[in-house]
């Protein structure tokens, strides 16, 4: 993370408090979304967002569940589905004052219908959270593949998202 000089990072599978504390302690120049809840709804620890403290200021943060409740703990043919959360942060660039949202998630990799439900729920929740249409970025493990068979990419594209890997730096700045 340091070598790449990343300003924002969406981490995955930070599964327990020890891992969370390790990441937080080792990267002291980064702020990190906090585990401010121990409710059954979500845990910021699972998919924390790290941001460079000298460049960005955390304005607000939150978390929401994207799993269908009837699939939690479901096991079929030895495959299980786990609770899936999305962590979000509203960040402000210190120099410019520009603000943007970042959403970090981990979609289900076991059941296609749960993966698609999670993507659909995420798209809806982004719209609910970002009522002022600020720039929004989504990071995470989408459990999709380039070879097809997964409609998650199509869901995001049809909702107006752009794949940043395919954009030039100029296109990324112009929206």
């Amino acid at each position: 993370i340091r070598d790449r000089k990343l300003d924002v990072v969406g981490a995955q599978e930070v599964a327990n408090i020890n891992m969370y504390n390790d990441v937080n302690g080792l990267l002291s120049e980064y702020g990190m979304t906090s585990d401010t809840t121990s409710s059954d709804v979500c845990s910021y620890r699972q998919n924390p967002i790290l941001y460079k403290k000298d460049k960005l200021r955390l304005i607000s943060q939150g978390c929401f569940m994207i799993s269908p409740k009837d699939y939690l703990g479901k096991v079929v043919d030895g495959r299980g589905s786990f609770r899936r959360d999305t962590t979000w942060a509203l960040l402000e660039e210190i120099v410019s004052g520009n603000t943007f949202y970042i959403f970090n998630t981990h979609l289900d990799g076991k059941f296609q219908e749960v993966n698609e439900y999670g993507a659909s729920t995420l798209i809806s929740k982004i719209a609910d959270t970002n009522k002022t249409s600020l720039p929004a970025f989504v990071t995470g493990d989408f459990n999709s593949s380039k070879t097809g068979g997964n409609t998650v990419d199509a869901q995001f594209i049809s909702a107006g998202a752009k794949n940043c890997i395919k954009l030039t730096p100029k296109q990324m700045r112009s929206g």
Side-chain angles (χ1 to χ4, degrees), residues 101-133:
Y101 280 98
I102 181 160
F103 296 83
N104 187 39
T105 196
H106 189 166
L107 297 176
D108 193 89
K110 306 291 183 188
F111 300 102
Q112 180 69 29
E113 63 272 24
V114 178
N115 185 287
E116 292 171 5
Y117 177 93
S120 176
T121 302
L122 175 57
I123 291 165
S124 174
K125 293 281 193 175
I126 289 171
D128 291 347
T129 304
N130 187 7
K131 295 199 181 299
T132 56
S133 299

Side-chain angles (χ1 to χ4, degrees), residues 41-160:
V41 175
C42 60
S43 170
Y44 294 98
R45 266 197 322 269
Q46 290 292 328
N47 304 307
I49 297 167
L50 291 80
Y51 56 93
K52 218 45 187 315
K53 291 189 286 191
D54 65 340
K55 293 186 176 188
L56 300 164
R57 182 174 68 87
L58 178 66
I59 296 174
S60 60
Q61 64 180 345
C63 186
F64 49 81
M65 188 168 71
I66 58 169
S67 298
K69 292 183 181 182
D70 55 336
Y71 271 85
L72 297 182
K74 180 179 180 180
V75 177
V76 176
D77 297 328
R79 300 179 305 153
S81 183
F82 302 99
R83 181 189 75 212
R84 301 295 177 168
D85 303 332
T86 298
T87 302
W88 63 266
L90 177 59
L91 298 170
E92 177 184 46
E93 284 185 293
I94 293 170
V95 172
S96 70
N98 292 332
T99 55
F100 64 92
Y101 280 98
I102 181 160
F103 296 83
N104 187 39
T105 196
H106 189 166
L107 297 176
D108 193 89
K110 306 291 183 188
F111 300 102
Q112 180 69 29
E113 63 272 24
V114 178
N115 185 287
E116 292 171 5
Y117 177 93
S120 176
T121 302
L122 175 57
I123 291 165
S124 174
K125 293 281 193 175
I126 289 171
D128 291 347
T129 304
N130 187 7
K131 295 199 181 299
T132 56
S133 299
L134 291 170
F137 300 88
V138 181
T139 61
D141 181 347
F142 300 106
N143 277 307
S144 64
S145 87
K146 290 182 179 180
T147 58
N150 192 314
T151 62
V152 169
D153 293 342
Q155 284 179 271
F156 281 105
I157 298 302
S158 70

